[in-house]
Amino acid sequence: MNEITERDLLDFALLTDFESFLKHSMLTLNPGMPFLPNWHIRAIAYQLERVRRGEINRLIINMPPRHLKSITVSVAFPAFVLGHDPRQRIFSISYGSELSLKHARDFRSIVESPWYARAFSQMRLSRSLDDEATTTLKGFRKATSVGGVLTGLGGNMIILDDPQKPVDAQSKVRRDSLNQWFSNTLVSRLDNKETGAIIVVTQRVHMDDLSGHLMGSSDQWEVLSLPAIAEVDEQVPIGDDEFHTRRAGTALHPEHESLETLRGLQKDLGSYDFGAQYQQAPIPEGGATVLRNWLCWYDRPPERTTKTKVLLSIDAASKDGPQNSYSAFSAWQVQDGHYYLLNMERGRYNFPQLRDKALALAQRYEPTLIVIEDASAGIALAQELRSMGRHRVKAVPVERDKETRLFIQTSKFEAGHVHFPKDAPFIPDLLAELLAFPHGKHDDQVDSMSQALAHKFSGYTLDNLH
């Protein structure tokens, strides 16, 4: 009986486990550089393996830059596929020829390495050109750029990697041109439109970029969206019946880019670019309901007078579980018809924590009035705060939907009556939610704002606050 060696075990791992294959590919391309494994690589590898097995044939991977997306999808994966089946015909396409050719050179470095030749003994190249590598069984990996010549060529897998530069995506003409080229030219290169596979891997650059266009026009796409900072708790598939639990507020790959580093990038890039390229959640150009050019800023709020009012607005979530909405607290200085946002906080709280947070903020800002949505946990919170007798509290009935409540207040934004503090740490998350509303993942901060802006101070007494 032959003894199984470590080399045999390695060859078996390279054949059966794409993550192991990727690690050896990285060591070939970047000798001496450490390979930092992470769950997001397993998530990508799982979806790619589903493509290779024929379980899905339309895949979109949206993720931030510099997280191994190109080497994983455009370089290592075609080498893995052709290693298992040298008859496969693969197009790998990027926005520019220089990038496409670099990926092609990296691909050749992998398939011409000794470890690859040993593990995949049936895969051999019969021709190796700058832009095309052909196998002895007539399979190939063809590299080209968006808009490149594809006439007369056909294949069974298309990989589209970063099809458009972020700056080009800001042009409607160029966005539309790419989307039309994809639909009218690229898809026709599949030999079989039913079984042929298309993989799009890119960072989001605009609401109407190729990812947005494809997701909006068809429900056949499997989408793996990997924001740099998790916005919600989620279960991400990393294998058959295997999931990674990702908590809201965590970085995608902390060993590679820490949460602190990402927050710095968010501040440097601004909410628009960071929301698109890093969070995979592009904000509508100029904003959706509230427009970006309506926003006003202040360094310090004006000196308070006898007419100054302070308002604490609370939007209380119904439950504190990880899948439920946030509770949001906004503090405002209201003066001469202008609203100055002093602070915005949000979190998931059980009822005692919700009450304690409200009391702490009330002690800090000494509000003229606390307004609380008269629904869910807000009902009990308003009753308990009133029973303490320390603050004036008004329960606000929910009379309209969220979109209408904000829309009614847009005239205040447009008139320049709503002011935000410059450089406050909560501003990036707040603007991402406000400018995307109602298309974003969250609306709790917006609800707290709408409630505050809707309140009229004139004419109330302690009696009608109950």
Side-chain angles (χ1 to χ4, degrees):
M1 183 174 180
N2 294 331
E3 183 180 351
I4 298 177
T5 66
E6 289 187 9
R7 176 170 288 186
D8 293 330
L9 293 175
L10 174 60
D11 290 347
F12 180 76
L14 294 172
L15 278 165
T16 59
D17 179 48
F18 178 64
E19 190 174 6
S20 296
F21 181 87
L22 175 62
K23 177 180 179 179
H24 273 73
S25 299
M26 286 292 298
L27 294 175
T28 296
L29 299 175
N30 300 287
M33 293 290 290
F35 176 75
L36 300 176
N38 192 56
W39 66 267
H40 85 280
I41 295 175
R42 295 186 64 191
I44 297 169
Y46 173 61
Q47 298 300 340
L48 293 176
E49 183 63 9
R50 294 180 69 201
V51 173
R52 191 180 73 83
R53 296 192 305 230
E55 296 174 9
I56 58 174
N57 63 2
R58 297 291 186 273
L59 173 64
I60 293 173
I61 302 174
N62 292 142
M63 58 187 295
R66 313 304 298 172
H67 281 77
L68 294 183
K69 63 181 176 60
S70 292
I71 290 178
T72 301
V73 182
S74 293
V75 178
F77 184 59
F80 191 73
V81 169
L82 286 167
H84 282 275
D85 185 358
R87 299 167 298 177
Q88 294 291 316
R89 300 177 306 282
I90 303 171
F91 292 107
S92 184
I93 304 170
S94 298
Y95 62 77
S97 58
E98 184 176 345
L99 183 60
S100 296
L101 293 176
K102 181 188 182 302
H103 293 165
R105 290 192 297 270
D106 289 343
F107 168 83
R108 291 197 303 274
S109 295
I110 293 172
V111 300
E112 292 172 354
S113 66
W115 63 265
Y116 184 93
R118 188 178 66 248
F120 299 93
S121 57
Q122 293 183 341
M123 191 334 217
R124 293 291 182 269
L125 296 181
S126 62
R127 186 173 62 166
S128 182
L129 304 175
D130 285 346
D131 63 345
E132 184 174 344
T134 305
T135 74
T136 55
L137 295 181
K138 308 302 182 184
F140 62 78
R141 180 195 184 278
K142 169 73 174 176
T144 187
S145 57
V146 171
V149 177
L150 293 171
T151 305
L153 298 175
N156 48 15
M157 182 181 294
I158 296 172
I159 298 172
L160 198 54
D161 180 4
D162 274 341
Q164 197 160 44
K165 293 180 180 179
V167 65
D168 290 342
Q170 304 315 308
S171 164
K172 184 178 186 303
V173 172
R174 293 184 178 181
R175 289 196 309 271
D176 291 347
S177 176
L178 172 63
N179 296 340
Q180 291 170 9
W181 174 80
F182 179 94
S183 301
N184 299 336
T185 301
L186 189 61
V187 175
S188 67
R189 295 301 96 199
L190 288 175
D191 292 333
N192 188 316
K193 310 301 184 295
E194 298 296 324
T195 61
I198 302 178
I199 302 169
V200 178
V201 54
T202 183
Q203 56 184 299
R204 296 299 305 272
V205 286
H206 192 277
M207 286 198 70
D208 299 322
D209 60 12
L210 183 61
S211 291
H213 171 73
L214 296 177
M215 289 186 287
S217 59
S218 172
D219 60 1
Q220 64 180 322
W221 291 89
E222 183 78 19
V223 179
L224 175 62
S225 180
L226 298 170
I229 303 172
E231 296 187 349
V232 295
D233 290 357
E234 58 181 333
Q235 296 286 104
V236 183
I238 57 175
D240 292 330
D241 300 319
E242 188 177 1
F243 300 86
H244 171 81
T245 300
R246 188 181 185 195
R247 298 300 183 189
T250 57
L252 180 60
H253 193 175
E255 292 184 24
H256 173 61
E257 284 185 340
S258 67
L259 187 60
E260 182 181 7
T261 297
L262 291 170
R263 289 300 187 190
L265 283 169
Q266 185 179 32
K267 183 177 180 180
D268 292 341
L269 291 174
S271 58
Y272 183 86
D273 288 341
F274 188 85
Q277 297 175 41
Y278 281 81
Q279 292 302 93
Q280 315 314 309
I283 298 169
E285 283 184 288
T289 303
V290 173
L291 302 188
R292 184 181 295 274
N293 60 9
W294 293 349
L295 302 181
C296 297
W297 303 93
Y298 72 85
D299 293 307
R300 293 182 180 180
E303 293 292 329
R304 298 186 182 186
T305 70
T306 55
K307 295 182 179 181
T308 300
K309 308 293 184 182
V310 177
L311 189 66
L312 180 61
S313 175
I314 303 175
D315 176 66
S318 58
K319 299 178 182 178
D320 66 323
Q323 299 300 324
N324 294 297
S325 298
Y326 288 96
S327 293
F329 303 79
S330 61
W332 300 81
Q333 180 173 320
V334 185
Q335 199 162 322
D336 299 325
H338 288 253
Y339 296 75
Y340 299 86
L341 179 62
L342 304 176
N343 189 22
M344 176 71 77
E345 295 189 27
R346 69 173 183 177
R348 294 188 175 100
Y349 309 99
N350 59 32
F351 186 78
Q353 292 170 332
L354 183 72
R355 177 199 59 215
D356 292 346
K357 172 60 74 172
L359 289 172
L361 291 172
Q363 182 177 4
R364 178 179 174 184
Y365 292 103
E366 300 180 348
T368 311
L369 179 68
I370 301 174
V371 290
I372 304 174
E373 187 176 72
D374 192 18
S376 303
I379 299 173
L381 179 62
Q383 292 173 346
E384 182 144 350
L385 293 181
R386 284 190 190 120
S387 69
M388 295 179 179
R390 304 179 195 172
H391 306 284
R392 295 182 175 183
V393 178
K394 180 177 181 180
V396 179
V398 182
E399 298 178 344
R400 300 179 176 89
D401 59 75
K402 297 173 184 289
E403 290 87 346
T404 303
R405 294 202 296 270
L406 180 63
F407 180 77
I408 291 172
Q409 305 308 320
T410 55
S411 61
K412 293 184 174 72
F413 288 96
E414 187 174 10
H417 291 173
V418 184
H419 306 262
F420 298 91
K422 289 182 179 178
D423 302 323
F426 59 81
I427 285 296
D429 286 339
L430 173 59
L431 290 191
E433 180 179 313
L434 177 62
L435 296 177
F437 183 85
H439 308 299
K441 293 183 179 179
H442 299 294
D443 52 31
D444 319 281
Q445 296 174 101
V446 169
D447 281 351
S448 179
M449 294 180 65
S450 299
Q451 182 171 263
L453 296 174
H455 179 72
K456 294 180 175 62
F457 276 98
S458 58
Y460 74 84
T461 68
L462 282 175
D463 293 335
N464 65 24
L465 296 180
H466 293 263

